[in-house]
Amino acid sequence: MKHLPLFDKIPKLSNSLEIFKKHFFRVRFLAAFNILTFLILGGLSVYAKLNNQGDGVERLFSDPFNFWFPYEGILTGVSEVLWCTPVAICAFTFGVLRQKEPRSRSGMFLFFSALLLGVFFLDDRFRMTLMLSGLGISSKLIYFCYGSAVFFYGVKFWRDIKTTPYLPLVVAFVLFAISRFEDIFESQSLGVHAMLEDGTKLLALLNLALYFWHVCHQEIGRHLRHREER
C-alpha cells in the first residue's frame, strides 16, 4: 500500500515541534508571558461571545490615530516611549548584573528603579489613581504613598545615586511633582495647562531616560571589563 506524502512528513513535523518546544520553554518568562496573554485574550473572547460584546473587545484594539489631525496625541506617544525606556534598560541591566552578583547594590538599585518607574508608568498609562479614586480611595492618600516610596527610594540608594551624575534624576522628580500638582496654578489657558501638566512630564521623562541610559551603560561596561579580567 502506497503511503501518502503527508504521513511521510509527520515524523519531521513531530521533530520540528519538539525543537520549537525546547527553544520556547528554554526562556521561562517567555513561555509564562505568552501563556498568560493567551489565557487573557481567550477569556476576553469567550466573554464577548457569551455576552454579545464583540464591539467592546474591538474597542480595546481600536486605533487612536486621527486622519484629520495626524499630530494629535503625538507627544503623548513620545512620552509613553520614554516611560518604557528607563524601565526596560534598568530591568535588562539588572538581569545581566545578577548573573555575576545576585545581591549587588548596583543591581538592587536598578531593580527598584525599574519597579518604581514601572508603577508610575502603569498609573499614568491606565489612570490607576483616577480608577482608585472612583472606588472611594482618596487621591491624597495615593499621592502620599507615591511620595513615601520616592523618599524611601532616595534614602535607601542615596549612596549609589551620589556616585552618578544625578542632577537629571533630581530634576525629573521635581518636574513630576509640578506635573502632578499643576492644578494649584489655576491657569485659564489650555496651552499653559497642557505645558504645566504634560510638557513638564515629557521633560522629566527625557531626563530619566538619559540618566538611566548613562548609568546602565556604565554598569554594563564595568561588568564586561570584569569578565575580560578573569
Side-chain angles (χ1 to χ4, degrees), residues 177-187 193 196-198:
I178 296 174
S179 175
R180 287 292 183 177
F181 298 105
E182 50 79 31
D183 288 335
I184 64 176
F185 292 97
E186 299 182 354
S187 173
H193 175 83
L196 286 176
E197 182 177 7
D198 298 313

Side-chain angles (χ1 to χ4, degrees), residues 56-181:
V57 173
E58 184 179 6
R59 281 196 293 271
L60 294 175
F61 297 96
S62 62
D63 189 353
F65 177 74
N66 188 329
F67 177 81
W68 300 107
F69 301 98
Y71 60 85
E72 187 173 298
I74 190 170
L75 293 182
T76 299
V78 172
S79 294
E80 291 178 357
V81 172
L82 289 175
W83 257 126
C84 296
T85 300
V87 176
I89 61 176
C90 285
F92 174 79
T93 307
F94 164 72
V96 172
L97 296 180
R98 73 186 297 268
Q99 296 177 5
K100 181 188 67 169
E101 298 179 41
R103 296 187 178 276
S104 67
R105 283 193 59 86
S106 56
M108 289 297 101
F109 168 59
L110 294 176
F111 170 77
F112 282 101
S113 297
L115 182 63
L116 183 66
L117 295 177
V119 170
F120 287 163
F121 168 70
L122 292 176
D123 179 275
D124 182 70
R125 182 63 183 85
F126 298 106
R127 302 297 188 266
M128 290 170 56
T129 297
L130 293 178
M131 292 171 61
L132 293 174
S133 298
L135 296 175
I137 300 175
S138 172
S139 58
K140 293 180 180 179
L141 176 62
I142 298 172
Y143 288 139
F144 174 77
C145 292
Y146 286 161
S148 299
V150 172
F151 174 77
F152 286 114
Y153 168 82
V155 170
K156 174 67 176 177
F157 296 109
W158 174 243
R159 193 170 72 182
D160 303 276
I161 293 172
K162 69 180 182 180
T163 63
T164 66
Y166 57 85
L167 182 60
L169 183 64
V170 175
V171 169
F173 281 116
V174 171
L175 290 172
F176 274 134
I178 296 174
S179 175
R180 287 292 183 177
F181 298 105

Side-chain angles (χ1 to χ4, degrees), residues 45-58:
S45 300
V46 172
Y47 171 81
K49 181 67 176 178
L50 294 177
N51 296 278
N52 195 27
Q53 295 290 330
D55 57 337
V57 173
E58 184 179 6

